[in-house]
């Protein structure tokens, strides 16, 4: 990092440091310098050597070493740098030349902050002058796009945020400041865990959070009057498991004295007492649910009985700053915690049915859209009770601060609801915390009613003490923001029925709707419906019986379905799988039809709804099946059941679907009941949509119902009870009869209806084609070929042959046509046997026999070519495998031996040619034995050389080659492992190994080993087991 700054700062220039007060601080990994000029602070950017650490030389000790690129010296490169321009980041109101100014980097750039070549680095900086102090975020950005300066140097720019929660004023001038990161963590620790110690002129050390410096956490007196303590120095202490997390700082005086101050983190009691006192300072003793808050947080009696001063605007602003810091809603981002800074809150349900809170310290530097780092338990940090109460108090104080704070209140309530999820009465949220939330929400609702409707204070509001200035939002837009905040609060405390009732009441109130819709921030009808849909969907997806029962019994659900059927239906189908992949990964317990009662109750509710509007036209969708207009309860129920069964979302049919008969499902018939309900609804729709005087012609809606009914009957995953539905079908539903008969396995009757009564060979062939596709799919799933004994086209041939007894030639011609159209799929031998014996061969030759013979011969040739290619590939892969095995076992560094952990090789013997004891066979190979001595092992290598093949004749390959030590004369050397070879081709050499466990201390003299070389002789092209033994 290089800086050239001759005249960057304004007159009178940088201030001198007083004692150890830092008038200048390096931030963002040294890329920016924060300098004090009078009562202002300026940030001076730097230039980066992007080549440093990239393999080239670096500048060291201010010498003249060359840069990584070229031979430019430091003096030449620095002389060519352009002037940097300082940026003013903050100006304090006080201008004191007596007391020091302080610039302190509280939190560094985070993990990897030492990598100064990163595009952006951000630091949290504390600035102090006189009695004022503030914290802000300073960001350094490398300008890499516009090219660098001489020597590979790249300029940077700096930018700063506004102070977090403004400027804080202490009772006495600030002399020194120190950052206190957690034990064992450096300056890159997140600000949620970092504290700041401020030494003031009255001899007090104030401990505060850098995200909310206006709120004191604790104070320690180190000096006496007159105070001569002037500096603070932190002492790093390694973290220890189970430690108290205390941080230590040393305060030193001009008189040579020093005090060691131990700062411990806040406990639950400290947090509860501070929150209650700040609330009393803000609202007064009776302006908020004081007793309920004390019970929820566990505040002490002294804090509960605290009287406090008259509420002022400063007290309200201070409480808002503190709560936003705790909840992580301050401008610095991040989450909150009892450490008063940035923790991300995640509240979920535990295994016991309660609520579990987890927090994330946000220390990572990923993008906003990236998933957060892994959370940890927050049982000792911000719990659900504290989260609820803090959010409720923040909404209340924002309401008193005026319209400008309405968005902050809504954001806080929405974040709390997102963190808490769907709160159930059986959770571990206390009744006191729920009471605080509920009381604050009710108060906001009363105030909003008065504001939106009449602009006056509600008559039921509690009277405030005399002299308390109450700032009220005066616009309907802000009133609707607070209305939404109250709804989120009711949802956070589990008052879902109350929240639905309030929303429905406001939606049906003309005065409230007219007043809110006339403002810029008012709610339209679609916004009311969308909010209601979101709430009902969360309740339904919670899978809690009470929450799901509330959705079904609430009048808001029925009115939403009648007013906006699409949104209302989305409440029940939003949790259903939407494609085949989601259906495949679905657990059995998550099936939409797995519950014994909820699907049936949903269907009853949907059938009872009467949406407005007349019959709309059916719109075509994929697959030729029209989409029903949601203009009746029947259409709503059909849409729900199609989503629940999966027929409209591509649910894969079960492999055993064809084996299920008449709804015999493992769930006791519950799924079959819903499938039957869907089939009867579709049948009812077809009958109801058919006009009286139209000759039985279906309307567009009736045609859509009929298409859906046929799709359900033909779907392999359908669980309908076919016999029951067959008895209910009108006689005119011939195609539906055929589909049901096919589900019952009566294929000849089904084909008789399609071919004889409907007179359509195309429909009959389509029926057989579907059966063929299912057979092939089942065979692929089972991993075998399709069965040839159950050809789906043979029943059709039988039907067409017997369709017209008076004209057998017509049936025979139709059978020949079937054979000609499906000659590649039909069982030819069985089909020919079914034809009449007097049928001339000439009538079969051209349409069927000749094309079938040509196709079979072509298929046979293709199979022979494929077989030859596969054999060639098999031989090549087998040869490569043998060569790889021979190479891997060629020496003692074999991977198989390395895995044994034999240790360091001590010595190796010279190779000895093996001599067989018995008469050798003509195939016995040359064997060379080598011994390798390790500390606790003896390894014997048998290098086997197979003889090459004779000229003009096939050679013999050695298979299953192994070197075995059959007997040892001493127990100190015993066999441990053999490494054989599967094959040694003619003319090749391979090594087999035998590992023996050796105990030299127990060896008595020499040891004699009896060994065998075992192998099998095979022809070079022989693959099967067998051959001659060796």
């Amino acid at each position: 990092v290089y800086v050239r700054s001759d005249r960057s700062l304004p007159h009178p220039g940088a201030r001198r440091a007083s004692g150890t007060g830092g008038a200048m601080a390096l931030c963002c990994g040294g890329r920016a310098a924060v300098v004090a000029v009078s009562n202002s602070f300026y940030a001076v950017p730097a230039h980066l050597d992007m080549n440093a650490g990239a393999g080239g030389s670096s500048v060291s000790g201010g010498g003249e070493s060359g840069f990584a690129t070229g031979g430019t010296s430091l003096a030449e490169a620095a002389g060519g740098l352009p002037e940097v321009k300082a940026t003013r980041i903050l100006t304090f109101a006080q201008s004191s030349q007596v007391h020091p100014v302080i610039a302190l980097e509280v939190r560094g750039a985070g993990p990897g902050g030492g990598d100064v070549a990163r595009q952006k680095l951000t630091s949290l900086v504390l600035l102090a002058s006189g009695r004022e102090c503030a914290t802000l975020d300073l960001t350094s950005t490398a300008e890499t796009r516009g090219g660098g300066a001489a020597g590979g140097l790249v300029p940077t720019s700096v930018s700063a945020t506004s102070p977090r929660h403004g400027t804080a004023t202490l009772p006495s001038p600030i002399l020194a400041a120190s950052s206190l990161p957690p034990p064992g963590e450096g300056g890159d620790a997140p600000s949620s865990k970092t504290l700041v110690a401020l030494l003031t002129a009255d001899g007090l050390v104030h401990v505060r959070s850098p995200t909310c410096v206006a709120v004191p956490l604790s104070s320690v007196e180190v000096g006496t009057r007159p105070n001569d303590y002037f500096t603070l120095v932190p002492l790093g202490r390694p973290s220890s498991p189970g430690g108290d997390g205390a941080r230590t700082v040393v305060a030193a005086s001009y008189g040579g004295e020093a005090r060691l101050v131990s700062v411990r983190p806040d406990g639950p009691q400290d947090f509860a007492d501070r929150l209650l006192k700040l609330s009393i300072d803000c609202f007064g003793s009776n302006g908020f649910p004081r007793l309920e808050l004390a019970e929820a947080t566990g505040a002490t009696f002294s804090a509960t009985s605290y009287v406090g001063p008259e509420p002022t605007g400063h007290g309200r602003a201070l409480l808002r700053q503190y709560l936003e810091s705790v909840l992580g809603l301050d401008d610095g981002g991040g989450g909150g915690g009892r450490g008063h800074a940035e923790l991300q809150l995640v509240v979920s349900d535990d295994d016991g049915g309660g609520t579990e809170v987890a927090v994330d310290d946000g220390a990572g530097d990923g993008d906003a859209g990236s998933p957060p780092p892994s959370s940890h338990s927050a049982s000792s940090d911000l719990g659900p009770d504290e989260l609820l109460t803090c959010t409720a108090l923040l909404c209340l104080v924002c309401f008193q601060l005026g319209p400008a704070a309405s968005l902050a209140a809504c954001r806080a309530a929405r974040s709390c609801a997102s963190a808490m999820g769907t709160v159930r009465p059986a959770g571990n949220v206390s009744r006191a915390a729920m009471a605080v939330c509920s009381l604050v929400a009710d108060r906001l609702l009363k105030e909003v009613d008065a504001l939106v409707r009449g602009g006056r204070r509600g008559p039921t509001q509690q009277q405030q003490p005399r002299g308390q200035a109450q700032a009220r939002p005066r616009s309907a837009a802000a009133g609707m923001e607070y209305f939404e905040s109250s709804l989120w609060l009711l949802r956070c405390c589990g008052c879902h029925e109350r929240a639905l009732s309030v929303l429905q009441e406001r939606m049906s109130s003309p005065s409230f709707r007219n007043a809110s819709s006339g403002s810029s921030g008012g709610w339209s009808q679609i916004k009311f419906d969308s909010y209601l849909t979101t709430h009902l969907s969360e309740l339904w997806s919670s899978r809690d019986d009470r929450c799901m029962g509330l959705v079904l019994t609430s009048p808001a659900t029925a009115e939403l379905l009648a007013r906006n059927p699409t949104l209302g239906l989305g409440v029940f189908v939003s949790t259903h799988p939407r494609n085949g992949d989601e259906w495949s990964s679905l657990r059995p317990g998550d099936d939409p039809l797995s519950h014994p009662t909820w699907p049936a109750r949903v269907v009853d509710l949907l059938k009872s709804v009467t949406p407005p509007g007349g019959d709309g036209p059916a719109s075509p969708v994929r697959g030729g099946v029209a989409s029903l207009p949601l203009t009746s309860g029947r259409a709503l129920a059909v849409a729900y059941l199609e989503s629940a069964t999966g027929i409209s979302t591509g649910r894969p049919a079960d492999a055993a679907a064809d084996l299920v008969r008449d709804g015999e499902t493992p769930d006791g018939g519950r799924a079959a009941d819903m499938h039957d309900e869907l089939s009867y609804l579709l049948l009812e729709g077809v009958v109801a949509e058919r006009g009286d005087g139209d000759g039985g012609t279906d309307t567009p809606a009736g045609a859509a119902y009929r298409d859906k009914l046929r799709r359900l009957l033909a779907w392999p995953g359908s669980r309908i009870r076919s016999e029951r539905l067959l008895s209910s079908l009108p006689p005119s539903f011939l195609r539906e009869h055929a589909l049901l008969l096919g589900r019952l396995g009566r294929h000849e009757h089904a084909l008789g209806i399609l071919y004889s009564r409907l007179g359509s060979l195309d429909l009959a062939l389509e029926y057989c084609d579907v059966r063929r596709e299912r057979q092939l799919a089942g065979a692929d799933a089972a991993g075998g070929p399709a069965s040839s004994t159950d050809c789906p086209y043979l029943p059709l041939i039988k039907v067409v042959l017997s369709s017209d007894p008076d004209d057998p030639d017509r049936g025979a011609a139709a059978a020949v046509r079937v054979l000609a159209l499906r000659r590649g799929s039909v069982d030819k031998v069985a089909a020919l046997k079914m034809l009449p014996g007097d049928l001339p061969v000439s009538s079969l030759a051209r349409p069927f026999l000749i094309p079938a013979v040509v196709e079979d011969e072509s298929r046979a040739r293709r199979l022979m070519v494929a077989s030859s290619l596969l054999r060639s590939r098999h031989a090549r892969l087998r040869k490569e495998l043998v060569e790889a095995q021979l190479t891997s076992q060629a020496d003692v560094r074999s991977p198989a031996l390395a895995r044994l952990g034999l240790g360091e090789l001590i010595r190796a013997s010279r190779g000895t040619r093996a001599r067989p004891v018995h008469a050798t066979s003509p195939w016995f190979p040359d064997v060379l034995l080598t011994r390798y001595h390790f500390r606790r092992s003896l390894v014997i290598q048998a290098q086997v050389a197979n003889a090459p093949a004779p000229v003009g004749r096939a050679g013999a390959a050695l298979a299953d080659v192994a070197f075995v030590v059959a007997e040892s004369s001493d127990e100190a050397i015993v066999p441990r492992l053999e490494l054989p070879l599967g094959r040694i081709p003619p003319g090749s050499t391979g090594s087999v190994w035998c590992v023996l466990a050796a105990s030299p201390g127990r060896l008595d003299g020499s040891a004699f080993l009896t060994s065998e070389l075992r192998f099998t002789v095979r022809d070079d092209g022989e693959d099967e087991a067998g051959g001659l033994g060796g």
Side-chain angles (χ1 to χ4, degrees), residues 771-846:
R771 285 192 60 202
R772 175 67 176 176
E773 291 176 1
R774 293 182 186 176
Q775 287 181 355
L776 295 178
D780 292 340
S787 175
S788 59
T789 58
D790 188 17
C791 178
Y793 299 97
L794 297 182
L796 176 59
I797 296 175
K798 184 177 181 181
V799 168
V800 299
L801 288 175
S802 60
S803 59
D804 193 358
D806 299 334
D807 189 2
D809 294 338
R810 179 172 174 271
V816 172
R817 184 183 177 190
V818 172
L819 292 176
L821 292 175
R822 296 295 184 270
R823 59 176 174 267
S825 303
V826 71
D827 186 353
K828 301 177 182 62
V829 176
L832 290 175
K833 291 180 179 179
M834 297 175 63
L835 295 178
D838 57 351
L839 183 67
V841 177
S842 58
S843 63
L844 282 173
R846 184 178 294 274

Side-chain angles (χ1 to χ4, degrees), residues 302-316:
S302 61
T304 307
S305 58
Y306 171 71
V307 178
E310 280 291 317
T312 61
H314 174 71
R316 287 189 287 272

Side-chain angles (χ1 to χ4, degrees), residues 220-349:
V220 180
E221 184 176 4
V222 295
T224 58
R225 297 182 184 274
N227 171 60
D228 60 349
Y229 280 82
F230 69 96
T231 184
L232 285 176
V233 178
L235 292 181
R237 193 174 70 175
S239 60
S240 59
D244 56 359
R247 307 108 189 263
T248 55
V249 61
V250 175
S253 70
Y254 290 108
E257 296 181 353
R259 297 287 180 90
L260 184 65
V261 181
S262 179
V263 180
R264 288 178 172 80
D266 275 355
Q269 197 66 64
D270 301 324
F271 172 77
D273 292 349
R274 184 182 304 108
L275 177 62
L276 189 58
K277 290 181 179 180
L278 289 175
S279 301
I280 294 175
D281 292 341
C282 173
F283 306 110
S285 299
N286 300 318
F288 71 105
R290 177 169 54 91
L291 298 180
E292 290 82 357
L293 177 63
E295 182 182 355
T297 58
T300 60
F301 176 76
S302 61
T304 307
S305 58
Y306 171 71
V307 178
E310 280 291 317
T312 61
H314 174 71
R316 287 189 287 272
L318 195 64
L319 179 61
R320 178 187 173 181
Q321 294 176 16
Y322 180 72
L323 292 175
E324 286 184 343
S325 175
V326 167
L327 295 172
L329 302 174
D330 55 343
D331 294 337
R338 199 170 286 124
H340 321 295
E342 305 158 338
L343 295 179
Q344 294 288 350
L345 299 173
V346 179
V347 184
S348 58
D349 296 333

Side-chain angles (χ1 to χ4, degrees), residues 48 50 117-119 141-148 154-155:
L48 302 180
M50 304 303 291
R118 287 162 55 193
Q119 181 78 15
T141 305
E143 305 292 342
T144 56
R145 294 185 179 179
V154 174

Side-chain angles (χ1 to χ4, degrees), residues 573-595:
V573 304
S574 60
T575 57
H576 295 173
R578 289 163 294 190
N579 51 57
D581 294 337
E582 293 184 5
W583 279 109
S584 299
S585 60
L586 190 70
R587 295 179 299 180
D590 295 337
D591 192 283
L593 300 179
S594 60
H595 197 277

Side-chain angles (χ1 to χ4, degrees), residues 489-850:
L489 289 178
L490 290 174
R491 293 170 61 173
C492 290
C493 64
C495 299
H496 301 288
E497 186 174 4
R498 167 75 172 146
L500 294 174
S501 175
V502 167
L503 184 62
Q504 196 67 13
E505 178 185 351
R506 300 311 190 271
M507 291 175 63
S508 59
S509 173
S511 60
F512 189 87
R513 291 293 308 279
N514 294 335
S516 65
S517 59
S519 61
S520 60
W523 282 23
S524 61
Q525 181 67 50
I526 188 61
K527 186 170 183 179
F528 272 108
D529 292 342
S530 300
Y531 185 92
L532 179 60
T533 302
T534 303
H535 191 185
L536 293 173
S537 299
E538 290 181 1
L539 293 175
W540 185 257
S541 61
S542 66
R543 295 188 175 273
D544 182 78
D545 288 344
R546 280 169 291 187
C547 294
M548 299 177 74
L550 176 61
V551 173
L552 292 177
T553 58
S554 174
T557 307
E559 294 183 15
L560 176 64
L561 286 167
R563 185 172 53 251
N564 195 327
T566 303
L567 284 180
L569 184 63
V571 172
F572 303 102
V573 304
S574 60
T575 57
H576 295 173
R578 289 163 294 190
N579 51 57
D581 294 337
E582 293 184 5
W583 279 109
S584 299
S585 60
L586 190 70
R587 295 179 299 180
D590 295 337
D591 192 283
L593 300 179
S594 60
H595 197 277
T597 58
W598 295 126
R601 294 183 60 182
V602 172
V603 172
D604 293 340
L605 173 64
L606 296 177
K607 290 193 296 185
S608 66
V609 175
T610 306
D615 295 340
S619 57
V621 293
R622 293 178 303 175
V625 179
S627 176
L628 287 174
L630 301 180
T631 56
S632 65
R634 183 193 310 113
L636 287 171
V638 167
Y640 168 76
L641 287 174
E642 284 187 335
S643 176
T645 57
I647 188 174
S648 62
T649 51
R651 182 176 186 174
D654 298 334
D658 293 336
L659 302 179
V660 179
R661 293 289 181 265
D662 290 339
E664 298 175 0
T665 51
D667 57 0
R670 292 192 300 268
D673 292 338
M674 292 296 99
H675 285 245
D676 285 346
E677 180 69 23
L678 176 58
S679 63
Y680 284 112
L681 286 173
L682 294 173
L683 178 59
E684 179 184 347
V686 177
V687 175
E689 294 294 336
R690 178 176 292 184
D692 296 332
D694 54 4
T697 304
D698 292 333
T699 63
Y705 278 113
R706 186 182 293 274
D707 291 341
K708 289 178 178 291
L709 177 60
R710 291 174 178 174
R711 182 179 65 173
L712 175 64
L713 298 180
W715 185 41
S718 177
R719 296 291 186 269
I720 59 176
R721 297 177 174 91
S722 304
E723 289 284 0
R724 183 184 302 178
L725 181 60
L726 188 62
S727 62
S728 304
L729 276 179
S732 60
F733 286 58
L734 295 178
R735 191 170 175 183
E736 289 76 11
H737 272 88
L739 293 174
L740 286 174
L741 290 172
R743 291 183 57 85
L744 295 173
R746 298 160 60 180
H747 302 294
E748 290 187 16
H749 293 80
L751 291 171
I753 294 176
L754 296 175
Y755 180 75
S756 301
R757 302 185 62 179
L758 290 177
S760 175
L761 180 61
D762 294 336
L763 288 178
L765 286 174
E766 180 182 351
Y767 178 91
C768 297
D769 293 340
V770 171
R771 285 192 60 202
R772 175 67 176 176
E773 291 176 1
R774 293 182 186 176
Q775 287 181 355
L776 295 178
D780 292 340
S787 175
S788 59
T789 58
D790 188 17
C791 178
Y793 299 97
L794 297 182
L796 176 59
I797 296 175
K798 184 177 181 181
V799 168
V800 299
L801 288 175
S802 60
S803 59
D804 193 358
D806 299 334
D807 189 2
D809 294 338
R810 179 172 174 271
V816 172
R817 184 183 177 190
V818 172
L819 292 176
L821 292 175
R822 296 295 184 270
R823 59 176 174 267
S825 303
V826 71
D827 186 353
K828 301 177 182 62
V829 176
L832 290 175
K833 291 180 179 179
M834 297 175 63
L835 295 178
D838 57 351
L839 183 67
V841 177
S842 58
S843 63
L844 282 173
R846 184 178 294 274
F848 175 65
L849 292 178
I850 295 176

